């Protein structure tokens, strides 16, 4: 469909949301970038997908997208799962933007539960889908109280959670959504990314977090200090499965464990499918690569 | 003078019985010097215990002055009276009132601990007194709440004499004691006098009174003529 | 001598009804003061106002802060007041559920205040928690159990440990022995008395139990309909009560 000026149109406003709503979200984003780690309330809209499917991330992406952007969506590292495919199609349809599966080609990457393995650049925006933005919620159910605790930097409770972990498991067993302190001020939930990804939170790209159901937006500007909480005698450890990728042989990436037969056979593969495919294209091979198995 | 009582009166107002005002004491005067023991006498109900309780700050005087050491008990703040009781003014009542579960040895040592005597020294002094008063060593680690009346009374006395108060109030210290323990208590009183304690006592035991008291004050003289 | 807490004309209204009216007193270091009165007499309202749980309509509550001496905690900024509440103050609730985190282990409950003031060594925190559990007579092997698994008396003792671990100077207690068996009460009272003595704590204890104040409190304040009707040395107020209401209160106690 083409309008009188010749531009492509659809039945939707660009990127689905109306301009006023995008403006409201951009204001919240500006505030979030100005106060790293602080949860900014915003008037989350009903989106044409259920809560828990990334409505917060989608709204943030919608507010950031321009017609010139190239968009990538990953779900737990993969570009080809239902959630990722649906959201990618959503913006293809409503914004008519280019999409890609290649991390380095994307200008905006919306993610659920992972940070890409390839380092991001200053020209990129990483948008996180966040289910529960409040890191203190685990022990303090009252929103009035958690807001006050943030305001007054009363973060002892966060360490109580880690204490409980060590008391019960002998080590800090929290392995995802591992709490961090941003720029020495706000304690923040980095969304359910594996703790392996925590060190990558200090990056060149701008990071935006959207929680649709909870109506919160927060951000980490480029090159911001992000420290994972820990104890002196139980320091933070960004561990991962102790194995290389069975497809590309990488020993420095976050791995998914896949059961491959009825006899308990299993394999480890990079959770970042694009990164793994890129390595394989460069000739890297793992234990179960098709050629290696031959 | 260690203890000086001037023109003290005492009334009880019974608000819940039509506001009846009962005047039980008027113009009480008494002084006790260091090393002196004054016995209060008078018939039952004449006000011996009332006067003693006023000196201790347990009853509030209606008027007059009750000076112990440097403190006017009739006007002092609670914390001043507590300080006075801790360091200067001891009281051996007829009844032992203690927190359940606390061992006898600690009950006796407590007044010493309260004035800062180290644990070991306080316990040593407590052991010495308990031994002198013939409390079997097997009982020292138990709470006195389960003891017999006579044993409780002796624990009470040991506690009262643990710290060397410059002023002491003794309410029937020899009551319900056998001859041996009675003699021990009288020696304790004499030793206290010898080190300079000013003592006010109530003794129904006349022989004991004659032995330790330097003077006797008949409290009936302070009893207002009552309209029957 | 500087009072630890100096209270002037504290008044709290609930609409037209009086919560507490014109309460003034000074509390000195090491003093334990009891506040007695029947239900609705305003004693809990007063305690909550003193502890900063709600703001009274009028009055001043000066606390002798470590850094700057006497400060009115009512006009103090909230961060400062909350900092006091987790360092120099402690609050023991009648119901341990209000004062404990029921989903956190005993050790975590005791350790929380330490972590709140910056403790970041797990081993040290655990050692301190173990020590405190011992002081309130809870076996060290219960350190990783949650309070739900504890009896009422143990929960109350845990609440006390959790509160005293940072060495506060002023403890507010709201009916600390309420709802406990008599024998459990006695044990708790003995424990509290020992801790108060040993740590040189000042405390304000709200209770309707005269036996509790006789054992724990140096001084007593009697409240009725929001007003203080009588105050003084505990044994003097109980043995020679001057006000009609106190006389009624004292004579109403069953003798055992």
């Amino acid at each position: 469909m083409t309008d009188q000026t010749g531009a492509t149109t659809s039945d939707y406003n660009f990127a689905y949301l109306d301009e006023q709503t995008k403006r409201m979200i951009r204001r919240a984003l500006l505030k979030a970038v100005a106060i790293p780690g602080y949860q900014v309330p915003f008037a989350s809209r009903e989106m044409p997908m259920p809560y828990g499917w990334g409505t917060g991330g989608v709204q943030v992406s919608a507010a950031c997208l321009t017609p010139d952007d190239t968009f990538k969506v990953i779900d737990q590292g993969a570009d080809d799962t239902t959630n990722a495919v649906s959201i990618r199609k959503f913006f293809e349809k409503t914004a008519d933007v280019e999409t890609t599966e290649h991390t380095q080609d994307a200008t905006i990457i919306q993610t659920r539960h992972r940070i890409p393995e390839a380092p991001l650049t200053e020209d990129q925006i990483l948008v996180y889908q966040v289910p529960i933005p409040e890191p203190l919620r685990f022990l303090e159910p009252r929103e009035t109280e958690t807001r006050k605790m943030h305001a007054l930097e009363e973060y002892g409770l966060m360490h109580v959670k880690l204490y409980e972990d060590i008391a019960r498991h002998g080590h800090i067993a929290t392995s995802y959504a591992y709490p961090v302190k941003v720029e020495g001020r706000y304690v923040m939930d980095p969304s359910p990314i594996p703790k392996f990804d925590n060190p990558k939170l200090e990056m060149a790209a701008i990071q935006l977090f959207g929680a649709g159901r909870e109506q919160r937006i927060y951000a980490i500007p480029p090159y911001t200090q992000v420290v994972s909480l820990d104890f002196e005698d139980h320091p933070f450890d960004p561990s991962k499965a102790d194995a290389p990728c069975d497809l590309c042989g990488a020993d420095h990436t976050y791995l998914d464990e896949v059961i491959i037969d009825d006899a308990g056979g299993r394999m480890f593969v990079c959770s970042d499918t694009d990164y793994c495919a890129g390595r394989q294209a460069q000739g890297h091979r793992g234990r179960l690569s098709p050629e290696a198995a031959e | 003078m260690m203890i000086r009582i001037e023109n003290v009166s005492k009334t009880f107002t019974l608000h819940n019985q039509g506001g009846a005002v009962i005047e039980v004491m008027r113009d009480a005067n008494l002084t006790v010097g260091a090393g002196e023991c004054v016995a209060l006498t008078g018939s039952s109900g004449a006000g011996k215990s009332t006067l003693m309780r006023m000196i201790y700050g347990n009853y509030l005087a209606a008027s007059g002055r009750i000076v112990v050491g440097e403190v006017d008990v009739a006007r002092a703040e609670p914390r001043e009276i507590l300080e006075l009781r801790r360091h200067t003014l001891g009281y051996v009542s007829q009844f032992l009132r203690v927190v359940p579960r606390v061992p006898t040895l600690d009950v006796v040592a407590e007044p010493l601990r309260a004035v800062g005597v180290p644990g070991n020294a306080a316990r040593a002094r407590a052991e010495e007194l308990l031994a002198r008063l013939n409390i079997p060593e097997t009982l020292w680690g138990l709470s006195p709440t389960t003891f017999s009346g006579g044993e409780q009374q002796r624990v009470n006395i040991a506690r009262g004499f643990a710290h060397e108060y410059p002023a002491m109030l003794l309410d029937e210290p020899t009551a319900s004691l056998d001859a041996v323990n009675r003699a021990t208590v009288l020696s304790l009183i004499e030793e206290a006098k010898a080190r300079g304690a000013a003592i006010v006592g109530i003794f129904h035991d006349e022989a004991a009174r004659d032995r330790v008291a330097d003077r006797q004050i008949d409290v009936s003289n302070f009893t207002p003529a009552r309209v029957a | 001598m500087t009072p630890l807490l100096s209270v002037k004309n504290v008044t709290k209204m609930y609409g037209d009804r009086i919560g507490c009216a014109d309460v003034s007193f000074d509390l000195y270091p090491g003093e334990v003061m009891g506040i007695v009165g029947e239900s609705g007499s305003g004693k809990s309202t007063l305690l909550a106002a003193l502890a900063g749980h709600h703001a009274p309509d009028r009055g001043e509550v000066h606390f002798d802060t470590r850094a700057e001496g006497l400060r009115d905690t009512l006009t103090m900024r909230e961060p400062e007041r909350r900092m006091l509440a987790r360092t120099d103050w402690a609050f023991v609730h009648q119901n341990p559920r209000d004062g404990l985190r029921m989903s956190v282990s005993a050790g975590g409950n005791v350790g929380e205040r330490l972590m709140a003031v910056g403790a970041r060594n797990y081993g040290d925190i655990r050692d301190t928690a173990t020590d405190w559990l011992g002081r309130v007579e809870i076996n060290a092997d219960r350190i990783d159990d949650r309070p739900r698994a504890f009896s009422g008396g143990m929960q109350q003792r845990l609440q006390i440990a959790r509160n005293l671990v940072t060495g506060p100077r002023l403890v507010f207690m709201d009916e600390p022995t309420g709802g406990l068996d008599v024998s459990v009460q006695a044990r708790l009272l003995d424990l509290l008395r020992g801790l108060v003595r040993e740590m040189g704590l000042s405390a304000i204890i709200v209770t309707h139990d005269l036996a509790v104040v006789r054992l724990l409190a140096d001084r007593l304040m009697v409240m009725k309909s929001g007003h203080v009707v009588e105050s003084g040395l505990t044994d003097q107020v109980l043995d020679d009560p001057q006000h009609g209401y106190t006389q009624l209160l004292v004579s109403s106690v069953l003798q055992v």
Side-chain angles (χ1 to χ4, degrees):
Chain A
M1 218 159 79
T2 311
D3 70 5
Q4 288 158 338
T5 63
T8 307
T9 62
S10 76
D11 295 333
Y12 296 103
N13 191 45
F14 179 76
Y16 186 76
L17 292 174
D18 62 274
E19 295 305 313
Q20 286 302 321
T21 296
K22 286 192 282 191
R23 215 163 138 184
M24 174 272 293
I25 293 171
R26 286 176 196 138
R27 283 202 190 107
L29 287 169
L30 286 174
K31 185 170 180 181
V33 171
I35 315 170
Y38 171 71
Q39 298 169 48
V40 182
F42 81 109
S44 179
R45 297 292 193 251
E46 289 290 335
M47 298 304 285
M49 61 192 74
Y51 287 124
W53 284 57
T55 56
V58 166
Q59 290 179 78
V60 170
S61 293
C64 293
L65 278 171
T66 67
D68 299 334
D69 274 314
T70 304
F71 191 58
K72 168 183 162 83
V73 187
I74 45 177
D75 175 7
Q76 312 238 36
D79 294 78
D80 54 0
T81 56
T82 315
N83 193 265
V85 172
S86 304
I87 293 172
R88 196 162 60 230
K89 285 201 168 146
F90 176 75
F91 282 113
E92 281 170 356
K93 189 165 190 177
T94 63
D96 196 25
V97 289
E98 296 257 336
T99 57
T100 180
E101 294 195 1
H102 299 301
T103 301
Q104 61 273 25
D105 296 341
T107 54
I108 296 181
I109 303 169
Q110 179 170 334
T111 180
R112 175 175 175 266
H113 303 186
R114 267 318 305 277
I115 296 176
E117 301 291 355
L120 301 185
T121 67
E122 292 178 6
D123 301 326
Q124 294 177 304
I125 297 175
L126 184 59
V127 176
Y128 295 77
Q129 301 172 198
V130 180
I132 297 169
E134 180 49 71
L136 299 164
R137 184 68 71 239
F138 170 77
L139 294 165
E140 178 51 69
R142 291 167 295 181
E143 176 73 10
T144 48
E145 189 63 18
T146 54
R147 287 183 75 82
K148 196 164 273 181
M149 290 160 88
H150 282 295
L152 304 180
E153 278 187 82
E154 292 179 2
Y155 289 133
L157 206 51
M158 218 53 253
H159 274 86
V160 173
K161 182 179 189 289
L162 301 179
Y163 170 95
E164 291 292 286
D165 250 18
I166 304 173
R168 203 154 301 146
H169 306 287
H171 61 275
I172 298 177
T174 300
S175 56
Y176 62 93
Y178 192 104
V180 295
K181 195 167 204 179
V182 181
E183 201 65 17
R185 177 59 181 84
Y186 285 96
V187 165
M188 192 195 88
D189 183 333
S191 87
I193 59 171
K195 65 178 178 177
F196 173 80
D197 282 346
N198 271 25
K200 288 189 254 169
L201 289 163
E202 290 184 347
M203 64 162 75
I206 190 166
Q207 298 170 80
L208 307 174
F209 298 78
R213 181 180 43 214
E214 304 280 326
Q215 309 193 314
R216 293 291 183 274
I217 282 172
Y218 51 103
I220 304 176
Y223 308 111
T224 299
Q225 182 200 55
V226 181
V227 177
S228 302
L229 302 181
D230 61 3
F231 288 100
E232 293 161 10
D233 45 350
H234 287 268
F236 173 71
D237 171 26
S239 62
K240 64 170 195 83
D242 187 19
C245 173
D246 284 329
L247 294 181
C248 76
D251 59 1
H252 58 281
T253 58
Y254 190 72
L255 302 171
D256 286 335
E257 184 179 2
V258 183
I259 305 296
I260 49 174
D261 57 33
D262 289 345
R266 56 189 189 159
M267 68 186 290
F268 289 103
V269 293
C270 290
S271 101
D272 186 337
T273 51
D274 173 54
Y275 187 77
C276 195
R279 277 179 57 85
Q280 290 177 62
Q282 287 165 22
H284 293 284
R285 291 293 175 267
R287 182 174 64 95
L288 298 176
S289 296
E291 301 93 289
E294 279 167 11
Chain B
M1 281 299 137
M2 196 58 219
I3 301 173
R4 200 168 72 242
I5 296 171
E6 295 170 359
N7 306 319
V8 165
S9 65
K10 175 66 190 165
T11 55
F12 289 106
T13 307
L14 307 179
H15 293 283
N16 300 302
Q17 288 165 44
V21 178
I22 301 169
E23 189 179 15
V24 296
M25 193 167 290
R26 185 188 294 168
D27 290 332
N29 285 283
L30 172 68
T31 57
V32 188
E36 191 180 17
C37 176
V38 173
L40 303 181
T41 63
S43 57
S44 180
K48 299 186 293 292
S49 287
T50 299
L51 182 58
M52 196 111 112
R53 281 165 173 258
M54 280 196 287
I55 300 172
Y56 198 58
N58 180 234
Y59 278 7
L60 212 57
S63 63
R65 284 158 57 80
I66 302 173
V67 182
V68 179
E70 320 230 298
V71 178
D72 182 355
V73 176
R75 274 168 199 77
E77 290 289 315
R79 66 195 166 89
E80 295 171 310
I81 296 179
L82 289 171
E83 183 72 4
L84 183 77
R85 288 179 181 180
R86 205 153 31 236
H87 293 276
T88 311
L89 181 62
Y91 182 33
V92 178
S93 69
Q94 293 187 66
F95 305 101
L96 181 67
R97 186 173 243 149
V98 294
V99 185
R101 292 209 317 158
V102 180
T104 297
L105 199 59
D106 292 340
V107 167
V108 174
E110 205 235 327
L112 288 166
R113 302 286 290 126
V115 294
V117 174
N120 286 343
R123 289 166 78 90
R125 169 76 177 150
E127 285 172 9
E128 177 201 327
L129 281 163
L130 287 170
R132 256 184 98 177
L133 287 158
N134 301 306
I135 302 289
E137 199 172 335
T138 48
L139 298 183
W140 294 359
L142 306 177
S143 163
T145 42
T146 53
F147 292 3
S148 73
E151 283 164 345
Q152 288 198 8
Q153 173 65 352
R154 279 179 279 148
V155 170
N156 208 16
I157 288 165
R159 180 181 158 87
F161 281 89
H163 171 57
E164 298 189 339
Y165 297 102
M168 293 188 77
L169 305 171
L170 309 177
D171 190 354
E172 299 277 12
T174 55
S176 70
L177 295 185
D178 59 34
V180 176
N181 286 312
R182 177 175 168 277
T184 306
V185 172
L186 293 178
S187 316
L188 283 170
I189 297 172
E190 282 165 346
E191 289 162 25
K193 281 175 65 182
R195 64 168 169 79
I199 297 173
V200 175
I202 300 172
F203 306 89
H204 282 147
D205 175 350
E206 280 183 39
R209 187 200 304 158
D210 293 341
R211 179 168 151 193
V212 295
D214 301 296
R215 283 189 287 137
Q216 301 193 6
I217 297 286
D218 187 348
V219 176
S220 312
N221 296 330
F222 309 142
T223 313
R226 200 170 296 170
V227 184
Chain C
M1 194 180 194
T2 312
L4 185 68
L5 191 73
S6 180
V7 178
K8 295 195 177 81
N9 305 314
V10 166
T11 300
K12 172 76 181 176
M13 304 293 293
Y14 295 113
D16 290 339
R17 282 187 308 112
I18 294 174
C20 60
D22 281 324
V23 179
S24 301
F25 66 88
D26 285 339
L27 185 76
Y28 287 85
E31 272 189 328
V32 177
M33 187 173 85
I35 303 177
V36 297
E38 59 198 8
S39 303
S41 60
K43 52 193 198 301
S44 290
T45 296
L46 175 63
L47 193 75
L50 298 180
H53 292 181
H54 61 59
D57 299 307
R58 279 197 305 281
E60 296 163 30
V61 179
H62 295 271
F63 179 74
D64 185 18
T65 60
R66 289 177 204 247
E68 296 170 73
L70 284 174
R71 299 266 319 275
D72 187 351
T73 60
L74 299 179
T75 57
M76 187 180 265
R77 288 174 61 238
E78 191 177 14
E80 290 181 272
R81 189 164 57 239
R82 284 174 67 111
M83 178 58 104
L84 273 184
R86 61 176 189 270
T87 53
D88 267 349
W89 293 357
F91 198 104
V92 176
H93 294 266
Q94 171 173 11
N95 187 341
R97 282 165 190 281
D98 296 332
L100 291 173
R101 293 197 188 275
M102 299 305 282
S103 60
V104 168
S105 69
N109 264 290
V110 177
E112 181 178 342
R113 274 170 76 111
L114 295 171
M115 293 181 249
V117 295
R120 292 292 179 265
N121 186 298
Y122 175 82
D124 291 350
I125 292 165
R126 204 164 165 83
D127 288 348
T128 308
T130 307
D131 175 48
W132 266 97
L133 290 180
R135 291 169 77 165
V136 298
E137 303 171 17
I138 294 174
N139 273 337
D141 62 8
R142 304 297 303 269
I143 190 169
D144 293 329
D145 291 348
R146 294 182 182 185
R148 289 185 216 294
F150 289 1
S151 67
M154 275 174 82
Q155 288 182 0
Q156 198 56 299
R157 296 202 300 279
L158 180 63
Q159 193 192 178
I160 288 163
R162 169 181 160 86
N163 269 284
L164 297 190
V165 66
T166 48
R169 292 188 292 153
L170 176 59
V171 185
F172 301 99
M173 298 190 218
D174 190 2
E175 303 273 8
T177 59
L180 298 177
D181 290 344
V182 181
S183 59
V184 177
Q185 265 192 36
R187 187 173 175 195
L188 189 73
L189 286 174
D190 173 26
L191 179 78
L192 276 174
R193 229 171 92 103
L195 290 171
V196 162
R197 197 66 59 81
E198 193 183 316
M199 300 177 70
L201 297 175
S202 302
I204 299 178
I205 302 173
V206 160
T207 179
H208 61 265
D209 190 335
L210 299 183
V212 167
V213 288
R214 196 185 273 279
L215 283 177
L216 282 181
D218 304 317
R219 294 164 58 187
L220 204 55
M221 232 164 62
V222 183
M223 291 189 71
K224 181 178 192 302
S225 311
H227 293 270
V228 175
V229 296
E230 181 165 0
S231 63
L233 205 58
T234 301
D235 60 283
Q236 183 261 302
V237 172
L238 294 180
D239 294 341
D240 187 16
Q242 306 294 305
H243 190 276
Y245 176 69
T246 319
Q247 292 179 354
L248 192 66
L249 204 63
V250 170
S251 64
S252 306
V253 175
L254 294 174
Q255 300 287 338
V256 284

